[in-house]
Structures are given as structure tokens and as C-alpha cells.
Amino acid sequence: MISQRKTLKDLINDSTKIIRAVGAHNALGAKLVEINGFDAVWASGFEISTAYARPDANILTMTEFLYAASQMVEATNLPIIADCDTGFGNVNNVIRMVKDYEKAGIAAVCIEDKLFPKMNSFISTRQNLICTEEFCNKISAAINTRVDPNFLVIARVEALIAGYSMNEALERAVAYSESGADMILIHSKQKDPSEIFEFCKKWTHKTPIVIVPTTYTSLNLVQVKEHNIKMVIYANQALRASIKAVNKVLSTLNNTGILKSIDSELAKMDELFELQGMNEMLAEEKLYQLMSIQKV
Ligand code: SPV
Ligand code: MG
């Protein structure tokens, strides 16, 4: 757990590296992110909410989000970056959150400057921000509460999502950075990356930038590098891919009534045993059987 945090810190300190994180909602999702060679897992509030079939609007509790993120810590060696929405309330909730997420072995938490209860950034209603001072207090509280300095606090700026000016976004990012945030996540819902690029060009602070290019999908890694962006989060593509795949298979099966018609669309059982760690379990079982035979 400590080394998962160290891994993330080392990646941030490596100036040649762009960190690529992928969203997940459970241990299996995190494992698939790892197997496919990405650097970190984003314990996405949107994904976890969707997995409970509940809106991404602080309907789930911190305990449910933390449980999902903790399963990911156990399942992979990758650093887990936990989407903690607004910090689940005010400064008092942030303090509890940091204590619990740090104890669970999470590498980083991300909090956003919206009013609690938050609303997903792609819904056009209720995108209200809290005032800069109050959010700075939340960041200070998070920084002062952490025990391990490698446990990172990411401050997410929602000003562009909420329709505020570029200046407001920059001023907020400066204030959050000066309150001790380790990274600044600047979010945008535009279809092209121009406002993100503008933000990055105007960003003169050393605090590294994180983006979530859900809507500006043409973005490539050369542009990311050119704009000095340190981390890219592909927040929900894995879950969206799986929903599409499951719907396709179930609709074919419903139409044909023959399992053979969907065979080629399915992962092999062996692949699932591998993901479960079945072979390691059987090897261990055998070892302990041998030990007890040797004792008699
Ligand atoms: C999430 O994945 O929960 C995020 C990213 O916060 S977004 O849905 O783009 O707001
Ligand atoms: Mg979220």
C-alpha cells in the first residue's frame, strides 16, 4: 500500500512521464486496468454509482465509495486515485475522509469545488461551486490530516464546467495550489480541448495538471505532452465498453436462444480463473497439504 503511494509519487517526479489512469468500480475493473499496462486506477464516482444503478450525485455514501476503492487496493499493485467528489460534506467530513482513505492504502484522493451534494459534471443542472475560501479550507484540512506525505491530495476545479470564466478557473487553481494541493484537476465538458489548452498555457505554477478528456476525445498524447499535462484520466470508458458488450450478447442470446451464437463474444473461463487467482490458490493449497503429509 505504502509502495503504491510511492509509485505514484515517483511517476509524478519523473518529468518524462505522462501518467495514464483508467476508471474502475471494483477489484476486477482495477485488475484489467493493470493487466492492460496503465499506470494507475481512478476509483470513479461515476462508475461506482453506475455499478449500484444509482445517480452520480452523492446518493451513495462515503462508506460505499471507500469500500469499492479498498477492494481495488487489495486487487492490484497500481496506485488507486479515489474520486471523493466534494469530500462528502464540509471540512469535518474531509478530515474523516482523509483518515479513512489513507488507512485503506489509497494513493491519492481527489476533491472537487462543488456544493455538497454534488451533481455529475455532464448534467446541465445544479453545477454550483462553493466559495474559494471554503474549498481552500478543505484542502488545508486534508493536507494537515494526512500522516504519509506521499498520500496525495488532488484539487479539482469545476469553474469551467459551471460556466465561469477562464480567469475564475485560474484564480481558483492558484488558490488551491497555494493551500497545498499536490495536483490540480481542471475539468471541461467541451467537445474540443481548446479551453483546456488555454488553461494550461496560462498555468505558470509548478503544481502538475490532471485532465479527464471524456468529451474532447480527439486529444492525443503528443498534445498532452506539449501542454505540460501530467496525468490523463480515462474515467469511464471501460465500464461503458462492458455495458455495450453485455447488451449485445444478451440481445443476441435472447433472439437466438442458443449459447453457441454468442460463444465468440465471451472471455474464456480460463481467463476468469486467472483473474480470480485460482491457480495461485490451488498451488498454496497443495503446499499446505504437502506440509501436513510431511508432519505425519
Ligand atoms: C468520475 O469518473 O466520477 C468523474 C469524472 O468524476 S466525470 O464523470 O467526468 O465527472
Ligand atoms: Mg466523479
Side-chain angles (χ1 to χ4, degrees):
M1 295 175 188
I2 303 298
S3 73
Q4 283 162 300
R5 280 189 202 136
K6 180 78 171 52
T7 306
L8 185 59
K9 199 69 180 270
D10 288 347
L11 289 170
I12 291 168
N13 289 336
D14 176 351
S15 61
T16 63
K17 180 78 187 165
I18 295 167
I19 303 168
R20 294 185 306 154
V22 177
H25 57 276
N26 62 17
L28 173 61
K31 219 158 178 181
L32 293 172
V33 173
E34 182 169 44
I35 288 167
N36 283 285
F38 289 90
D39 306 304
V41 179
W42 168 247
S44 158
F46 174 76
E47 281 215 10
I48 298 167
S49 300
T50 310
Y52 276 79
R54 292 283 182 261
D56 179 22
N58 279 139
I59 303 301
L60 300 190
T61 64
M62 186 194 88
T63 313
E64 289 163 317
F65 287 116
L66 176 56
Y67 181 75
S70 306
Q71 304 308 303
M72 300 181 204
V73 173
E74 299 298 325
T76 87
N77 293 313
L78 292 184
I80 309 301
I81 302 165
D83 176 8
C84 291
D85 294 334
T86 62
F88 307 106
N90 71 9
V91 75
N92 302 315
N93 302 86
V94 168
I95 290 169
R96 188 217 173 180
M97 176 202 100
V98 167
K99 286 181 182 163
D100 289 1
Y101 274 74
E102 182 170 357
K103 266 188 242 152
I106 304 295
V109 287
C110 177
I111 54 173
E112 64 197 52
D113 57 358
K114 285 220 282 266
L115 274 182
F116 177 88
K118 64 73 72 54
M119 170 59 75
N120 179 273
S121 303
F122 300 115
I123 300 293
S124 54
T125 183
R126 275 214 281 119
Q127 295 296 336
N128 303 317
L129 305 190
I130 64 168
C131 68
T132 305
E133 292 70 27
E134 196 180 340
F135 195 66
C136 288
N137 290 341
K138 286 188 178 185
I139 295 164
S140 302
I143 298 295
N144 292 338
T145 303
R146 73 178 169 197
V147 178
D148 179 358
N150 288 333
F151 177 79
L152 302 183
V153 176
I154 304 173
R156 167 165 158 179
V157 178
E158 289 281 290
L160 301 177
I161 295 283
Y164 289 84
S165 66
M166 183 58 68
N167 268 354
E168 176 75 22
L170 284 158
E171 276 171 23
R172 280 177 174 260
V174 168
Y176 303 163
S177 171
E178 287 172 355
S179 297
D182 297 293
M183 303 185 94
I184 295 291
L185 190 161
I186 179 70
H187 205 9
S188 166
K189 58 183 177 187
Q190 281 194 354
K191 293 242 176 317
D192 70 79
S194 54
E195 69 177 8
I196 288 293
F197 290 166
E198 185 185 343
F199 180 94
C200 294
K201 279 183 190 143
K202 290 181 172 161
W203 183 245
T204 51
H205 276 245
K206 285 215 159 38
T207 313
I209 297 289
V210 184
I211 58 164
V212 185
T214 303
T215 52
Y216 44 102
T217 52
S218 65
L219 184 81
N220 63 50
L221 291 174
V222 175
Q223 293 169 314
V224 169
K225 183 126 201 115
E226 275 169 8
H227 291 86
N228 214 12
I229 293 162
K230 187 68 199 168
M231 189 192 298
V232 181
I233 300 176
Y234 306 115
N236 52 45
Q237 288 71 21
L239 178 59
R240 287 162 62 196
S242 69
I243 291 169
K244 191 162 180 178
V246 170
N247 278 335
K248 185 175 172 215
V249 157
L250 292 185
S251 121
T252 307
L253 182 58
N254 193 19
N255 290 336
T256 64
I258 306 168
L259 280 171
K260 202 160 185 50
S261 69
I262 56 170
D263 236 8
S264 62
E265 306 289 331
L266 306 183
K268 297 277 173 282
M269 291 293 281
D270 278 348
E271 201 177 324
L272 275 68
F273 286 131
E274 184 58 37
L275 288 164
Q276 292 177 353
M278 177 61 92
N279 293 334
E280 284 97 319
M281 190 201 81
L282 291 175
E284 264 174 356
E285 189 175 300
K286 204 166 180 179
L287 184 73
Y288 288 109
Q289 273 166 356
L290 281 174
M291 279 166 61
S292 56
I293 290 167
Q294 279 164 3
K295 275 187 200 148
V296 280

Coordinates of all heavy atoms in Angstrom, one line a residue, residues 3 23-24 41 44 55 59 84 89 103 123 126 129 131 163 168 192 194 203 207 215-216 218 231 252 255 261 281:
S3 N 3.9 1.3 -0.9 CA 4.6 1.3 -2.2 C 3.8 1.8 -3.3 O 4.3 2.4 -4.3 CB 5.3 0.0 -2.4 OG 4.3 -0.9 -2.8
G23 N -10.5 4.6 -15.2 CA -11.6 4.4 -14.2 C -12.0 2.9 -14.0 O -11.9 2.1 -15.0
A24 N -12.4 2.7 -12.8 CA -12.8 1.3 -12.4 C -13.9 1.5 -11.3 O -14.0 2.6 -10.7 CB -11.7 0.4 -12.0
V41 N -5.2 3.5 -11.2 CA -6.6 3.3 -11.3 C -7.4 4.5 -10.7 O -7.0 5.0 -9.7 CB -7.0 2.0 -10.5 CG1 -8.5 1.8 -10.6 CG2 -6.3 0.8 -11.1
S44 N -13.6 5.7 -9.8 CA -14.5 6.7 -10.3 C -15.9 6.7 -9.6 O -16.5 5.7 -9.5 CB -14.8 6.4 -11.8 OG -16.0 7.0 -12.3
P55 N -27.8 7.3 -9.2 CA -27.2 8.5 -9.9 C -25.9 9.0 -9.3 O -25.7 8.8 -8.0 CB -28.3 9.6 -9.6 CG -29.5 8.9 -9.3 CD -29.1 7.6 -8.7
I59 N -25.5 10.1 -4.0 CA -26.6 9.3 -3.4 C -25.9 8.2 -2.6 O -26.4 7.8 -1.6 CB -27.4 8.7 -4.6 CG1 -28.0 9.9 -5.4 CG2 -28.5 7.8 -4.0 CD1 -28.9 10.8 -4.7
C84 N -13.3 11.5 -4.7 CA -14.0 11.7 -3.4 C -15.1 12.8 -3.5 O -15.4 13.4 -2.5 CB -13.1 11.9 -2.3 SG -12.1 10.4 -1.9
G89 N -19.1 16.3 2.1 CA -19.7 17.3 3.1 C -18.8 18.5 3.2 O -18.2 18.9 2.3
K103 N -5.8 5.2 5.6 CA -5.7 3.9 6.3 C -6.0 2.8 5.4 O -5.4 1.7 5.5 CB -6.7 3.8 7.5 CG -6.1 4.2 8.8 CD -7.0 3.9 9.9 CE -7.4 5.2 10.6 NZ -8.7 5.3 11.2
I123 N -24.2 16.8 -16.3 CA -25.6 17.1 -16.2 C -25.7 18.6 -16.1 O -24.9 19.3 -15.4 CB -26.2 16.5 -14.9 CG1 -26.1 14.9 -15.0 CG2 -27.7 16.9 -14.7 CD1 -26.9 14.2 -16.0
R126 N -27.7 22.3 -11.6 CA -27.1 22.3 -10.2 C -25.5 22.2 -10.2 O -25.0 21.4 -9.4 CB -27.6 21.1 -9.5 CG -29.0 21.4 -8.8 CD -29.1 20.6 -7.5 NE -29.5 19.2 -7.6 CZ -28.7 18.2 -7.1 NH1 -27.5 18.5 -6.6 NH2 -29.1 17.0 -7.2
L129 N -20.8 26.0 -7.3 CA -19.5 25.9 -6.7 C -19.5 26.4 -5.3 O -20.3 27.3 -5.0 CB -18.4 26.7 -7.5 CG -18.2 26.4 -9.0 CD1 -17.0 27.1 -9.5 CD2 -18.2 24.9 -9.2
C131 N -17.5 28.6 -2.3 CA -16.6 29.7 -2.4 C -15.1 29.2 -2.3 O -14.9 28.2 -1.7 CB -16.9 30.9 -1.5 SG -16.6 30.4 0.2
G163 N -19.6 27.1 -15.9 CA -19.8 28.3 -16.8 C -19.1 29.5 -16.3 O -19.5 30.6 -16.8
E168 N -11.5 32.9 -13.5 CA -12.0 32.3 -12.3 C -11.4 30.9 -12.1 O -11.0 30.6 -11.0 CB -13.6 32.2 -12.4 CG -14.2 31.5 -11.2 CD -14.3 32.4 -9.9 OE1 -14.2 33.6 -10.0 OE2 -14.4 31.8 -8.8
D192 N -14.1 19.9 -27.7 CA -12.7 20.0 -28.2 C -11.8 20.5 -27.0 O -12.4 21.1 -26.1 CB -12.5 20.9 -29.4 CG -12.8 22.4 -29.1 OD1 -11.9 23.0 -28.5 OD2 -13.9 22.8 -29.3
S194 N -9.8 23.0 -26.6 CA -9.2 24.4 -26.6 C -9.2 25.1 -25.3 O -8.2 25.7 -24.9 CB -10.0 25.2 -27.7 OG -11.3 25.2 -27.4
W203 N -1.2 28.5 -17.1 CA -0.8 28.0 -15.8 C 0.7 28.1 -15.6 O 1.5 27.4 -16.3 CB -1.2 26.5 -15.8 CG -1.0 25.9 -14.4 CD1 -0.1 24.8 -14.2 CD2 -1.6 26.2 -13.2 NE1 -0.2 24.5 -12.8 CE2 -1.0 25.4 -12.2 CE3 -2.5 27.2 -12.8 CZ2 -1.4 25.4 -10.8 CZ3 -2.9 27.2 -11.4 CH2 -2.3 26.4 -10.5
T207 N 2.5 23.2 -9.7 CA 1.6 22.1 -9.4 C 1.2 21.5 -10.7 O 0.6 22.1 -11.6 CB 0.4 22.7 -8.6 OG1 0.9 23.6 -7.6 CG2 -0.4 21.6 -8.0
T215 N -15.1 14.2 -23.0 CA -15.9 14.8 -24.1 C -14.9 15.2 -25.3 O -15.4 15.1 -26.4 CB -16.7 16.0 -23.7 OG1 -15.8 16.9 -23.0 CG2 -17.8 15.7 -22.8
Y216 N -13.7 15.6 -25.0 CA -12.8 16.0 -26.0 C -11.9 14.8 -26.4 O -10.7 14.8 -26.2 CB -12.0 17.3 -25.7 CG -11.4 17.3 -24.3 CD1 -10.1 17.1 -24.1 CD2 -12.2 17.7 -23.2 CE1 -9.5 17.2 -22.8 CE2 -11.7 17.7 -21.9 CZ -10.3 17.5 -21.7 OH -9.8 17.5 -20.5
S218 N -10.7 13.7 -29.2 CA -9.7 13.7 -30.2 C -8.3 13.9 -29.6 O -7.3 13.8 -30.3 CB -10.0 14.7 -31.3 OG -9.9 16.0 -30.7
M231 N -1.1 14.2 -15.9 CA -2.0 13.0 -15.8 C -3.2 13.1 -16.6 O -3.9 14.1 -16.6 CB -2.3 12.7 -14.3 CG -3.0 11.4 -14.1 SD -3.7 11.2 -12.4 CE -2.4 11.4 -11.3
T252 N -28.5 -10.9 -28.4 CA -28.3 -12.0 -29.4 C -28.8 -13.3 -28.7 O -29.6 -14.0 -29.4 CB -26.8 -12.2 -29.8 OG1 -26.3 -10.9 -30.2 CG2 -26.6 -13.3 -30.8
N255 N -32.5 -13.4 -28.7 CA -33.1 -13.6 -30.1 C -32.9 -15.1 -30.5 O -33.8 -15.6 -31.1 CB -32.4 -12.7 -31.1 CG -32.8 -11.3 -30.9 OD1 -33.9 -11.0 -30.3 ND2 -32.0 -10.3 -31.3
S261 N -24.3 -19.1 -30.3 CA -24.4 -17.9 -31.1 C -23.6 -16.7 -30.4 O -23.3 -15.7 -31.1 CB -25.9 -17.5 -31.3 OG -26.4 -17.0 -30.1
M281 N -4.1 -20.0 -5.7 CA -4.8 -20.6 -4.6 C -4.6 -22.1 -4.5 O -4.3 -22.7 -3.5 CB -6.3 -20.3 -4.7 CG -7.1 -20.7 -3.4 SD -8.8 -21.0 -3.6 CE -8.9 -22.6 -4.3

